[in-house]
Amino acid sequence: MRKSYRVKKESEFQRVFETHQSVANRKFIIYQMAKPGQPHFRVGISVGKKVGNAVNRNWIKRRIRQTLLEVKPQLKSEVDFLVIARPAAHGLEMAEVKKNLVHALKMANLLVEE
């Protein structure tokens, strides 16, 4: 995902956290903040140490990014959101990651139905 699609700075992460608009399922938590006038969505991905070692954390982040690329045309554009993986996300197959992440995105009303 290009840099323009990412939330990178700590201050940007904190601004999204402070909005307190979140939804969660057993595998992922999604925080969101509306940004009117923004040309496309921006996403931040966080996977904590409780999920596993560095290899496992990067493995999960790659699968989250791939899922977001696959549903990119359906995502709302004027929003910043954070995807936080819970420890239960450790060891999931790609299909399970996609199913759980899409479920959380639908709960957050971030997916636009075509």
Side-chain angles (χ1 to χ4, degrees):
M1 209 166 290
R2 295 194 326 238
K3 278 190 178 183
S4 62
Y5 283 87
R6 289 187 264 168
V7 176
K8 292 294 281 182
K9 294 180 183 174
E10 177 68 22
S11 61
E12 294 171 341
F13 264 84
Q14 290 304 321
R15 199 172 309 127
V16 176
F17 275 126
E18 289 166 1
T19 62
H20 299 296
Q21 292 181 344
S22 66
V23 296
N25 61 16
R26 292 184 178 169
K27 312 294 184 201
F28 298 103
I29 305 168
I30 296 182
Y31 288 86
Q32 62 179 322
M33 181 177 76
K35 297 272 294 239
Q38 186 168 269
H40 52 74
F41 70 89
R42 294 187 325 148
V43 63
I45 299 171
S46 177
V47 181
K49 287 187 177 182
K50 289 183 180 180
V51 176
N53 61 18
V55 173
N56 293 327
R57 293 193 305 267
N58 286 325
W59 187 87
I60 291 170
K61 283 190 263 188
R62 283 195 305 270
R63 279 153 180 76
I64 291 170
R65 276 191 224 103
Q66 181 60 37
T67 299
L68 291 173
L69 276 174
E70 290 174 9
V71 299
K72 183 178 171 181
Q74 301 167 343
L75 285 168
K76 288 185 179 178
S77 62
E78 296 183 342
V79 67
D80 283 359
F81 64 98
L82 306 177
V83 177
I84 300 169
R86 288 184 159 176
H90 174 67
L92 292 179
E93 295 296 323
M94 181 62 195
E96 293 171 309
V97 170
K98 184 174 182 177
K99 183 180 117 188
N100 283 293
L101 188 54
V102 167
H103 174 256
L105 290 169
K106 283 181 182 176
M107 285 179 16
N109 293 320
L110 290 175
L111 288 180
V112 177
E113 297 298 324
E114 294 179 9

